[in-house]
Amino acid sequence: MDRMEELGFRSETDRQIFREAAAPVELSPFGLHSGMFVPTLERQGTPEQSRKWVPLGKSFKMIGTYAQTELGHGTFIRGLETTATFDPETQEFILDSPTLSSIKYWPGNVAKTVNHCLVMAQLYTQGKCHGTHLFLVQVRNMEDHTIMPGLEIGDIGPKLGFDGVDNGFMRFNKYRIPRMNMLMRYAKVLENGDYIKPKNAKLTYGAMVMIRVFIVMDAFKTLSRAAVIAVRYSAVRRQSELRPGGEEAQVMDYQTQQYKLFPLLATSYAFLLAAEGMSQIYAKISSDIERGNLEDMPQLHALACGLKAFCTWVACEGIEVCRMSCGGHGYSHASGIPKIYANIVGACTYEGENTVMMLQTARYLSKCYIRGQRGESLPELIQYLTTDLNVKSTLGEDCSFESLVAAYSHRAARMVAVACKLQQTNKKKGMAGHDAWNKSTVPFIAATKAHCHLFIVRNFVTILSQKKIDPATHNVLSQLCTLYAVYGIVENMGEFMQDGYFNQDQVSILNRKVLALLEDIRPNAVALVDAFDYPDHLLQSCLGRYDGQVYEALYEYSKSSPLNNTDIHSSYYNYIRPMMQKRSESKNISAKL
Ligand SMILES: CCCCCCCCCC/C=C\CCCCCCC/C=C/C(=O)SCCNC(=O)CCNC(=O)[C@H](O)C(C)(C)COP(=O)(O)OP(=O)(O)OC[C@H]1O[C@@H](n2cnc3c(N)ncnc32)[C@H](O)[C@@H]1OP(=O)(O)O
Ligand SMILES: Cc1cc2nc3c(=O)[nH]c(=O)nc-3n(C[C@H](O)[C@H](O)[C@H](O)COP(=O)(O)OP(=O)(O)OC[C@H]3O[C@@H](n4cnc5c(N)ncnc54)[C@H](O)[C@@H]3O)c2cc1C
């Protein structure tokens, strides 16, 4: 913190980049404080509350986290059981964990780090429940960091990854906080206990939308780091004879290795641009919301949910492909890839479990489809839903951007229509609305993935057509954009072909194009990963080192293994030698018998 002040880092982006450089492979125990706790105080507190608490948060006099999930509920926020009951006599809220399942469970840094939490709890006043709201709760003594009386707090134990974060549990026993500790920007409880409801109950969910937007960038960061490691290693690693009797080939010269890695390289660039596009949309709509204009809130929610789920799913699958493309060394922590995977794969779950998030977007698409069928105007990003599905592709040998975007629009429009028609058919069969919905959710998930895929392809194409880029760079980026789009079609051909949108010749063109693009990109592959400019310190990888001295690094890494501190390990004296001695004694006995 002090170092950031010394260096003059003012913007949150610069501070986040510094934090990541300072702690490259472990998530910071203050990450939730900076990324969720302080921004939520700023966005969900009244101006007075923000003026009081935000400076304390930014100066780390108050260290906090976001405590919403419970043992029994994470996804279903309306089902949370922690209560906050207003006591007009004392002007306090009484926080309580009434059941075992209501114990707060998972909140990051609750176990040992923070002294405050933003707690999501069911608000009760004048005997009535008004749903979930956020409360600022001091959980540890500011003098000696001991747990406040009335609270039970602890660590939840080892996890798959996220080791830098002390995820904890927290139980409230009639724990009192001042009335003014309820974040009251949108909803209020007056001194007499009267409840003033917000313009939209989902404004309380704003912190999650913000983090989902951040996570899209995380998907880019983690996938691109794994791609850097795998591509650089593939340039250094020589294995087997490509030409009989010739020297061993760089594994990057095998077409299969290129087919594994180059589409992931293209995806990394596509996700970077998508994350930037998502952030711009978030900045615009969230500022509208803060000014009271909630019109585009549903569109923001739907896009943030969909992209968070789509990008983290694809990134995690891609990171695994990068690991496996490095052979045995990829499985070692020396590669740096297992840690990348372990830290990001949780993002498919936290901040909204991906399936649930996709279904939120699907719900929005379903409503938009109906509006489109009625001829109502649709937001620009959704207008493709009214695409004429009788039109066939005009794709030619050049695989133009226009024909590729048209293909993705057609695929998504067709799949949304199929899911919506199933939902409508279910209703006509007499199913209740919720059953008609549930019995169409599998096609809706597929349609929503197609919707997100379209957003990313269209965004990539739009940026290439709008930004002023030097011709050489534009040419290489166009190759990456075309590879991302053509590979996505080839890998999902059934969804593009189901209604005969492409003819057989066009399918052949696409299959030829994806292989030709691998050859086009091969000469620039290392330069394209170097362009991310990740320092070795950040990658923490013997395989992805900029200098390519992989074997020297692996040898030094291995020698530093703690197991090598002694030649003979204690297990020899404690277990192996006694076992061998026992065996030899029994052998002597059997020999005598
Ligand atoms: C740990 C340190 C790491 C480093 C951090 C550094 C920070 C620096 C910057 C950040 C950098 C990177 C980011 C990484 C951060 C890592 C953080 C990891 C910590 C994780 C934290 C958490 O997990 S917090 C808990 C998250 N929990 C959830 O997300 C729960 C998911 N569930 C929900 O959101 C809701 O239950 C759900 C939306 C599913 C349903 O809500 P419900 O109230 O039931 O509403 P519905 O009935 O479904 O719908 C009713 C209508 O409301 C609309 N709606 C719902 N939600 C919203 C919303 N958010 N906004 C707008 N509208 C919404 C919905 O669409 C319906 O509308 P309709 O018109 O009626 O259809
Ligand atoms: C690394 C990590 C860090 C975390 N940090 C925090 C934190 O700091 N603060 C915090 O409050 N929480 C945190 N969490 C908790 C996290 O937010 C929840 O785990 C997440 O929201 C998922 O909810 P759940 O665990 O209830 O999953 P569940 O919803 O129980 O998921 C189980 C299965 O049910 C399915 N499912 C659930 N609802 C539906 C539905 N309506 N339709 C179809 N399928 C459904 C899901 O798709 C999933 O397959 C963290 C979790 C992890 C893994």
Side-chain angles (χ1 to χ4, degrees), residues 53 73 104 115 178 188 223 225 229 231 236 243 247 257 275 288-289 296 299 320 374 399 425 492 501 534 553 580:
W53 293 326
H73 291 91
K104 290 298 178 187
N115 49 44
K188 297 181 185 346
L223 177 59
R225 289 173 193 177
I229 294 167
V231 167
V236 171
R243 294 170 189 78
E247 64 171 346
Q257 189 83 350
D288 290 347
I289 291 169
D296 290 335
Q299 183 182 189
E320 257 298 82
R374 291 183 189 137
C399 293
T425 303
N492 299 282
Y501 180 70
Y534 290 130
M580 293 173 71

Side-chain angles (χ1 to χ4, degrees), residues 82 328-329 523 584:
T82 301
H329 299 330
S584 61

Side-chain angles (χ1 to χ4, degrees), residues 130-178:
H130 295 280
T132 53
H133 292 72
L134 281 170
F135 300 83
L136 178 65
V137 183
Q138 181 180 342
V139 298
R140 286 182 180 270
N141 183 298
M142 298 300 281
E143 299 306 319
D144 61 10
H145 208 55
T146 51
I147 296 170
M148 299 296 283
L151 292 182
E152 181 191 359
I153 292 176
D155 184 75
I156 66 170
K159 309 177 290 282
L160 187 153
F162 239 61
D163 299 332
V165 179
D166 49 310
N167 298 87
F169 66 85
M170 178 164 58
R171 189 171 201 168
F172 299 97
N173 181 15
K174 308 289 185 217
Y175 188 76
R176 288 177 173 267
I177 62 173

Side-chain angles (χ1 to χ4, degrees), residues 12 16 19 27-28 31-32 34-36 66 68-69 74-78 109 162 165 202 205-206 208-209 211-212 214-215 218 297-298 301 350-353 356-357 360 363 367:
E12 186 49 38
Q16 180 56 15
R19 286 190 203 105
L27 292 152
S28 160
L32 273 161
S34 308
M36 206 162 183
Y66 186 90
Q68 174 174 291
T69 303
T75 287
F76 189 49
I77 298 175
R78 285 185 287 133
N109 311 126
F162 239 61
V165 179
K202 305 311 171 189
Y205 292 3
M208 293 175 276
V209 178
I211 291 290
R212 289 164 193 157
F214 287 149
I215 290 171
D218 267 5
M297 192 168 152
H301 170 56
Y350 62 59
E351 223 56 72
E353 198 281 329
V356 173
M357 293 294 98
Q360 284 290 306
R363 176 171 171 159
K367 287 173 179 267

Side-chain angles (χ1 to χ4, degrees), residues 265-557:
L265 180 56
T267 302
S268 298
Y269 277 83
F271 281 12
L272 170 59
L273 298 175
E276 288 176 345
M278 176 75 252
S279 300
Q280 288 159 13
I281 293 168
Y282 174 76
K284 164 46 172 88
I285 297 177
S286 58
S287 64
D288 290 347
I289 291 169
E290 290 189 14
R291 285 197 301 273
N293 173 6
L294 307 188
E295 183 185 358
D296 290 335
M297 192 168 152
Q299 183 182 189
L300 174 63
H301 170 56
L303 188 59
C305 284
L307 285 188
K308 180 265 182 189
F310 183 88
C311 292
T312 51
W313 264 332
V314 169
C316 291
E317 289 163 13
I319 293 164
E320 257 298 82
V321 170
C322 289
R323 181 187 66 76
M324 287 186 272
S325 72
C326 295
H329 299 330
Y331 192 74
S332 164
H333 274 297
S335 73
I337 297 178
K339 187 65 119 175
I340 293 172
Y341 180 84
N343 277 345
I344 191 62
V345 71
C348 295
T349 305
Y350 62 59
E351 223 56 72
E353 198 281 329
N354 277 3
T355 302
V356 173
M357 293 294 98
M358 277 273 171
L359 289 174
Q360 284 290 306
T361 308
R363 176 171 171 159
Y364 175 74
L365 293 174
S366 168
K367 287 173 179 267
C368 289
Y369 177 80
I370 294 166
R371 284 168 47 195
Q373 293 298 298
R374 291 183 189 137
E376 294 174 25
S377 66
L378 294 174
E380 184 190 355
L381 290 177
I382 314 291
Q383 284 169 4
Y384 73 87
L385 288 181
T386 56
T387 298
D388 177 358
L389 294 178
N390 297 311
V391 171
K392 300 302 176 195
S393 171
T394 60
L395 181 126
E397 285 289 347
D398 64 343
C399 293
S400 70
F401 285 162
E402 183 187 1
S403 64
L404 294 172
V405 172
Y408 277 83
S409 300
H410 180 93
R411 168 218 193 185
R414 184 187 63 75
M415 294 177 75
V416 171
V418 164
C420 290
K421 285 172 183 167
L422 175 59
Q423 183 186 14
Q424 290 161 3
T425 303
N426 289 343
K427 284 181 182 171
K428 286 175 186 157
K429 286 178 180 173
M431 283 189 206
H434 55 269
D435 286 331
W437 166 252
N438 186 40
K439 300 291 186 189
S440 59
T441 44
V442 168
F444 263 117
I445 291 282
T448 307
K449 287 178 180 176
H451 167 76
C452 296
H453 211 168
L454 164 63
F455 175 91
I456 293 169
V457 168
R458 187 174 53 202
N459 181 68
F460 204 160
V461 168
T462 302
I463 285 170
L464 284 178
S465 60
Q466 287 177 350
K467 289 226 175 188
K468 291 209 176 305
I469 305 171
D470 69 272
T473 305
H474 191 278
N475 178 51
V476 174
L477 291 176
S478 296
Q479 289 172 347
L480 285 175
C481 180
T482 307
L483 176 60
Y484 179 72
V486 170
Y487 176 82
I489 294 173
V490 168
E491 288 292 301
N492 299 282
M493 190 59 81
E495 293 180 353
F496 286 88
M497 279 292 291
Q498 188 164 338
D499 61 348
Y501 180 70
F502 287 127
N503 60 42
Q504 287 188 1
D505 291 342
Q506 288 168 325
V507 173
S508 302
I509 287 171
L510 289 158
N511 286 327
R512 285 197 304 271
K513 186 68 174 178
V514 74
L515 300 182
L517 282 164
L518 300 180
E519 294 188 34
D520 293 340
I521 286 167
R522 170 65 181 86
N524 293 309
V526 174
L528 283 165
V529 296
D530 289 351
F532 290 126
D533 199 19
Y534 290 130
D536 286 349
H537 170 72
L538 195 66
L539 294 175
Q540 298 273 306
S541 171
C542 296
L543 309 189
R545 296 167 57 95
Y546 185 76
D547 65 8
Q549 300 299 304
V550 169
Y551 297 145
E552 293 80 352
L554 278 172
Y555 184 47
E556 288 310 310
Y557 174 90

